Structure formats: C-alpha cells, structure tokens
C-alpha cells in the first residue's frame, strides 16, 4: 500500500492513460468476448485513474477524451462498456468543467444521451400511480389496459445501468450550464425525462425527480414541462407528480382522514389520522398513548392564556396612549 503513490507516478510518467485510451479505441468494435471484457475493465481503470489523479484528468481534458468516450458510447454493443463510457464523460464534466461540457455539446453528445432514454421508455408501460390504485387508460398500441399488480412487483420496471449512468451524466454535464440546458430542452430532453418518470421504478424515480427538479431551476424550461402530455395516458406533468406522491404514501403506509386533508404540515407523508375525536387514542412519536381530552383542554387553556396576554398588552398600550394625550392638553382655556 505504501508504494501505491510511486506506482501511480510511474504510470503517469509512462503516459499510461494514453496507452489505455488507444487500446480501448482499438478493441471497442471487436466481436470477441475477450476484447469486450478487456475494454470494459480498461474503462473501469480509466475511471479510477481519473478520480485519483489530477494529471490524468488534465491529460484527458487537453486531448479531447470526451470524443473518444462518446465514440465508444455510440458504437459499442456492450451495455456495460457504454455505461462506463458515460460515467467517464460525467466525471470529466463534473465540477462545472465548462470546457468538457462545451466539447460534449459541440460533438452532439446531448442528443446522443437522450436517444437511449427514448428507446428505454418505448417498450415499457407506465407504473406511476399503479401502487396507489390510480386508474388510467393506456393509449399506446400493443399495451394492455390493465396495469400490472404492484404487489406482485413492488419495484416496478427493471433498472438499467445505462439509464442510471445517463441520468448522472446529465446532472453533471447539463444542469447549471444554460447553453446545454437550452439545447437539452430543444432536443425534447425534458419530455424524455417526464416519460422516463412515468415508467420508472421506485429505485430510479428518486434520481429522475431530483434531475427534473434541478432542470426546472431554469425558468425557461418550466414551459416545456407544462406543455408535456404523456403519450400513454395523456396525463400532465403535475398529475404524474401527484401520482408519485400518492405512490409514496401507499409505500410508507401513510393514512389520512376521509376528506384527504393534510393535518401535519411538518410531516406530510406521515400518519394523517390526527386530530382525533374525544375519547380516541392517539400515539406520540414514541408510541405512547396520549390522553386526547387532557391534550385538548391544555391546548385550549394555552390558547386562552395567549389571548388574554394579548388583550392585556393591547389594553395597556391604549391606556398609555390615552394618558399621554390627556397630559399634553393645555390647562388654561
């Protein structure tokens, strides 16, 4: 372990990163399983070198390594290698690296990142709202109108490592860069994210929601979200977000009163059965039963004390003002 810095320095002196990139490009289109495995492991090695060495990062920025990784992403038929290439692009564009972000935009990388998301969405049915029992009619040809029972598959659709890597790359390469955000919206990227949200499982849904939230910090992109309608269920973005909320309530076993009022604004996803009627049991955060009658009387007494104190202070202020006015009146008329 103590020789690790020396090995890394020797690796950098021998320009190991350039040799690895050359090997990756040489065997990226090979059909042999050994070569595919070699490319995958070399990309993992490059990712570790990129994270641990500023010299390797500087070399990749100056040598336009984004183009090489984007080429692997476009041409390789191995999904694992493509995901690793996207992770390398994400690492290069992280930290607000405007140079690599401009390179990605100039090479058409933003449009290329949207295409796999589109292809992933087309073959999957919507799952948002299914766990909460929301009924909606599917309009796509070839899809069944009956939504799969969420109790049979509580995680929804499968999770693609490619989609997860692309979401991370979009968060690093597009969010915060107004030029890239505008191009992303013009390429119908906001629509692709909302389509992905509608079919995403609980595991991926959080990441998609976080990315959409960061994107919509740019007020110019809000109009794209408002104009979106689902191609499968004709739901709006607001409806899909509300159905995500309902799914979370069901997943967390959150109960509410019949009229649906949120009683606890500090814990809106928590249990909403209170306030309860007199004589009913209510449990606090520790699980202990609270005497609701005593609690109600104590609340009323505190409210009454607060009102009485307020009235007293107000009356004192009025009397003080009246006395000062009377004392300022002239004594001889």
């Amino acid at each position: 372990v103590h020789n690790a810095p020396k090995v890394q320095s020797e690796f950098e002196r021998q320009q190991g990163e350039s040799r690895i990139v050359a090997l990756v490009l040489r065997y990226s289109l090979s059909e042999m399983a050994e070569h595919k495995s070699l490319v995958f492991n070399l990309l993992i090695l490059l990712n570790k070198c990129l994270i641990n060495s500023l010299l390797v990062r500087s070399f990749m920025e100056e040598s336009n390594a984004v183009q090489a990784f984007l080429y692997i992403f476009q041409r390789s038929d191995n999904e694992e290698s493509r995901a690793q290439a996207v992770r390398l692009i994400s690492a290069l564009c992280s930290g607000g690296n405007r140079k690599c972000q401009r390179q990605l935009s100039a090479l058409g990388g933003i449009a290329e990142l949207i295409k796999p998301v589109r292809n992933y969405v087309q073959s999957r049915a919507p799952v948002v709202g299914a766990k909460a029992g929301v009924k909606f009619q599917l309009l796509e040809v070839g899809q069944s109108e009956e939504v799969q029972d969420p109790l049979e598959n509580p995680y929804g659709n499968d999770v693609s490592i490619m989609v997860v890597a692309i979401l991370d790359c979009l968060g690093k390469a597009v969010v915060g860069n107004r030029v890239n955000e505008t191009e992303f919206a013009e390429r119908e990227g906001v629509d692709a994210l909302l389509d992905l949200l509608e079919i995403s499982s609980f595991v991926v849904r959080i990441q998609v929601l976080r990315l959409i939230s960061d994107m919509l910090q740019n007020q110019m992109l809000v109009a794209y979200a408002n104009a979106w309608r689902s191609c499968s269920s004709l739901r709006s973005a607001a409806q899909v977000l509300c159905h995500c909320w309902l799914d979370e309530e069901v997943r967390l076993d959150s109960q509410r009163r019949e009229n649906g009022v949120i009683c606890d604004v500090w814990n809106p996803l928590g249990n909403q059965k209170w306030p309860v009627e007199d004589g009913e049991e209510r449990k606090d955060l520790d699980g202990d039963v609270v005497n609701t009658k005593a609690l109600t009387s104590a609340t009323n007494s505190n409210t009454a004390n607060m009102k009485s104190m307020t009235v007293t202070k107000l009356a004192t202020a009025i009397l003080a003002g009246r006395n000062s006015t009377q004392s300022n009146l002239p004594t001889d008329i």
Side-chain angles (χ1 to χ4, degrees):
V1 178
H2 63 280
N3 290 325
K6 297 180 181 179
V7 174
Q8 182 173 342
S9 300
E10 182 65 19
F11 175 82
E12 295 170 352
R13 191 182 70 83
Q14 296 290 340
Q15 297 182 350
E17 62 278 2
S18 62
R19 298 169 184 263
I20 292 177
V21 173
L23 281 174
V24 168
L25 293 176
R26 181 177 181 179
Y27 295 108
S28 59
L29 301 181
S30 176
E31 298 294 336
M32 297 179 61
E34 294 82 2
H35 291 167
K36 292 183 179 181
S37 177
L38 175 64
V39 170
F40 174 70
N41 288 283
L42 287 176
L43 291 174
I44 293 179
L45 178 60
L46 273 179
N47 197 358
K48 293 181 179 179
C49 294
L50 180 61
I51 295 174
N52 297 321
S53 175
L54 295 177
L55 185 61
V56 173
R57 183 182 183 90
S58 177
F59 166 80
M60 290 187 179
E61 292 176 359
E62 296 298 331
S63 61
N64 197 9
V66 173
Q67 182 177 5
F69 300 143
L70 189 61
Y71 174 82
I72 298 170
F73 172 72
Q74 294 174 342
R75 301 298 182 86
S76 178
D77 57 354
N78 187 2
E79 184 175 357
E80 288 79 7
S81 298
R82 297 180 67 196
Q84 287 297 327
V86 173
R87 288 192 177 97
L88 284 166
I89 297 175
S90 176
L92 285 172
C93 296
S94 63
N97 192 333
R98 290 292 190 265
K99 182 177 181 179
C100 292
Q101 291 174 358
R102 286 195 300 269
Q103 291 176 358
L104 180 65
S105 176
L107 295 170
I110 296 178
E112 293 296 328
L113 292 175
I114 297 175
K115 290 180 181 178
V117 178
R118 288 281 187 194
N119 297 332
Y120 179 79
V121 170
Q122 288 178 356
S123 59
R124 287 164 176 81
V127 295
V128 170
K131 194 172 185 63
V134 178
K135 296 182 179 180
F136 49 88
Q137 185 176 4
L138 301 180
L139 302 179
E140 289 290 335
V141 178
Q143 292 184 354
S144 174
E145 295 186 0
E146 295 184 0
V147 180
Q148 181 183 2
D149 187 1
L151 297 179
E152 297 179 0
N153 185 9
Y155 300 103
N157 288 327
D158 57 334
V159 179
S160 171
I161 59 172
M162 170 68 69
V163 172
V164 173
I166 290 175
L167 292 176
D168 180 69
C169 185
L170 292 175
K172 301 289 180 58
V174 177
V175 173
N177 189 324
R178 291 304 179 96
V179 177
N180 288 3
E181 287 177 348
T182 303
E183 181 182 355
F184 180 78
E186 292 176 352
R187 300 285 184 177
E188 299 183 355
V190 177
D191 296 356
L193 286 181
L194 291 171
D195 290 335
L196 178 62
L197 175 63
E198 191 179 26
I199 61 98
S200 61
S201 61
F202 286 104
V203 180
V204 185
R205 195 176 301 175
I206 298 175
Q207 188 177 5
V208 179
L209 286 171
R210 185 184 298 115
L211 181 58
I212 292 175
S213 176
D214 293 339
M215 287 283 186
L216 295 185
Q217 294 298 319
N218 186 348
Q219 295 297 322
M220 296 178 60
L221 305 187
V222 176
Y224 291 90
N226 290 331
W228 176 83
R229 289 295 183 274
S230 171
C231 297
S232 301
S233 60
L234 291 182
R235 289 183 291 184
S236 64
Q239 289 175 320
V240 171
L241 293 175
C242 290
H243 294 167
C244 288
W245 178 282
L246 295 177
D247 283 345
E248 285 296 311
E249 286 189 333
V250 175
R251 189 172 67 90
L252 298 175
D253 194 19
S254 175
Q255 301 180 7
R256 60 174 64 253
R257 298 179 68 89
E258 295 180 358
N259 53 9
V261 175
I262 298 177
C263 304
D264 188 358
V265 295
W266 303 110
N267 187 19
L269 282 176
N271 196 321
Q272 301 293 326
K273 294 183 64 176
W274 69 279
V276 296
E277 303 295 337
D278 293 340
E280 296 181 1
E281 290 185 353
R282 171 184 168 188
K283 295 183 179 180
D284 58 9
L285 296 177
D286 297 329
D288 299 330
V289 178
V290 179
N291 190 343
T292 55
K293 292 184 178 180
L295 182 64
T296 304
S297 60
T299 304
N300 293 336
S301 62
N302 293 334
T303 305
N305 293 334
M306 292 177 61
K307 290 182 179 179
S308 61
M309 291 176 60
T310 304
V311 172
T312 303
K313 291 181 180 180
L314 182 60
T316 303
I318 293 175
L319 292 176
R322 181 182 299 176
N323 294 334
S324 63
T325 303
Q326 292 178 356
S327 61
N328 291 333
L329 291 177
T331 55
D332 51 343
I333 300 178

